[in-house]
Amino acid sequence: MKRTYRALTGSAIVLSIIIVAAVCWHSLEEIHYLKSFYPSQFSVEEAFYASAVELVKIIIISLPFFLIIGTGLYVLRHITRES
């Protein structure tokens, strides 16, 4: 039974990391798209604000997945100690 918990917890952690990476990649592509779409009008200050908005979006979307990763690591630690 402990093996099943380890496998499920490990797969949840890996899936969460993949989702967070995909969200980060999407935000990076969105900033790049904005830069290419408005080349002459997109100033450094506007790029900074766009990056800040994307960072907030990443934090909000990724927070539940970071919680899953932390909980999963906690569970794996205690399952390993009991073995």
Side-chain angles (χ1 to χ4, degrees):
M1 193 65 155
K2 288 182 184 178
R3 232 173 128 153
T4 306
Y5 286 135
R6 281 188 199 149
L8 286 175
T9 306
S11 61
I13 290 171
V14 169
L15 184 63
S16 295
I17 291 171
I18 290 170
I19 290 172
V20 168
V23 168
C24 292
W25 183 260
H26 174 73
S27 292
L28 186 66
E29 289 293 323
E30 194 168 324
I31 291 171
H32 179 69
Y33 170 75
L34 285 173
K35 276 179 41 182
S36 66
F37 193 72
Y38 298 110
S40 61
Q41 300 168 340
F42 209 61
S43 68
V44 174
E45 185 180 5
E46 290 170 337
F48 171 76
Y49 289 133
S51 299
V53 168
E54 291 298 320
L55 179 63
V56 169
K57 183 173 83 172
I58 289 171
I59 291 171
I60 290 172
I61 292 172
S62 299
L63 191 63
F65 297 107
F66 287 137
L67 185 64
I68 290 170
I69 292 169
T71 305
L73 291 174
Y74 178 79
V75 168
L76 282 177
R77 180 177 178 201
H78 286 284
I79 287 174
T80 306
R81 279 189 178 177
E82 293 175 4
S83 306

